[in-house]
Amino acid sequence: MSGFGSYDDAHDPKYGQPHIVPLIVASNETLKGYGHIVTNFDTEKVEITTWPPAGWRPICAGTGNQGGIVTGTFRYQWDADLCKAKNDTVGGDYIIGRLPIGTAPGNRSHVLAREANYHPDGGQVFFPQDVGEFVALLALPGDDIKLEDFKAFYFDGSVGLQIHANIWHQPMYPAKDSALFMGKQGAVHACVAVDTVDEFGKYLLVPLGHEDTCADIIT
């Protein structure tokens, strides 16, 4: 889960320069392995992972994947230099990032992030309700995660996405002052987390997709 790491000392020079995350335009091609574009929230089915067997005997057909899904809103709000998120789907309330030092709230081109998590029990759908640019911070599965594994996927706000089970992620990062998403995911909601400051001593510098950063995005 997100929201456990403090951003109070995010500007402390002891952390050195943050790791710059590359920005990639989201498409079904670039999202291969991570998930896929969602164009209709209502018809999108959440990918549910069948419970793994403890030994050599297989899970019986039709069992181990009946926990159901939960659906709700995911609200985002910039409060001065802090990005806050509230996931009504699972009752989460997080601080998910902070602007770099010297960055004015009206010029949000990047955000500092330190956390990510994944859900082994299933996928997760994020679907914007108000059009506006946003970025998805993602990394492919594997517990031996490294800073360079993270990628930032740019969306113009006209579509959403579903990430696969085991994909490292954060809540979405909106460029504008606030954003409302619909979300759905497995009701089990198992989480495995990483804190890049605790493990690597560095923050991630995530581009938000403004025009000055989009000049360097990967298509």
Side-chain angles (χ1 to χ4, degrees):
M1 297 177 67
S2 299
F4 292 105
S6 171
Y7 285 84
D8 290 347
D9 66 347
H11 297 160
D12 194 313
K14 69 182 179 183
Y15 297 119
Q17 293 298 313
H19 175 78
I20 300 174
V21 177
L23 187 64
I24 302 170
V25 175
S27 68
N28 279 326
E29 183 64 28
T30 59
L31 284 169
K32 278 184 178 177
Y34 299 87
H36 59 262
I37 296 291
V38 174
T39 58
N40 188 314
F41 179 80
D42 293 332
T43 60
E44 182 71 13
K45 294 183 178 180
V46 177
E47 302 170 2
I48 298 298
T49 303
T50 299
W51 194 271
W56 60 267
R57 297 183 187 275
I59 300 295
C60 294
T63 70
N65 54 10
Q66 299 166 304
I69 64 168
V70 287
T71 302
T73 56
F74 217 140
R75 304 172 189 274
Y76 300 85
Q77 180 72 48
W78 280 95
D79 182 3
D81 66 347
L82 293 175
C83 189
K84 299 180 178 181
K86 186 175 183 181
N87 186 354
D88 297 323
T89 308
V90 295
D93 197 345
Y94 329 107
I95 294 175
I96 60 172
R98 187 176 182 184
L99 293 179
I101 190 169
T103 302
N107 184 32
R108 290 188 287 263
S109 61
H110 294 77
V111 62
L112 294 168
R114 64 180 292 174
E115 295 178 293
N117 71 100
Y118 68 80
H119 307 306
D121 57 291
Q124 185 170 1
V125 178
F126 301 87
F127 197 83
Q129 296 300 286
D130 41 9
V131 175
E133 294 176 308
F134 68 92
V135 166
L137 177 65
L138 307 177
L140 292 172
D143 280 3
D144 294 323
I145 186 75
K146 300 179 179 63
L147 295 175
E148 54 267 28
D149 294 331
F150 286 98
K151 305 291 186 292
F153 289 88
Y154 168 78
F155 291 78
D156 65 8
S158 61
V159 296
L161 77 154
Q162 177 166 189
I163 57 171
H164 299 315
N166 301 314
I167 294 297
W168 291 101
H169 66 284
Q170 270 283 72
M172 303 298 100
Y173 287 103
K176 61 182 185 177
D177 292 345
S178 62
L180 176 65
F181 283 66
M182 288 300 296
K184 52 186 170 182
Q185 60 193 102
V188 174
H189 191 228
C191 291
V192 179
V194 64
D195 185 321
T196 65
V197 172
D198 285 350
E199 292 195 25
F200 308 110
K202 279 190 176 292
Y203 278 86
L204 299 168
L205 185 63
V206 183
L208 291 177
H210 283 195
E211 291 180 1
D212 55 343
T213 59
C214 279
D216 299 322
I217 59 181
I218 302 169
T219 57

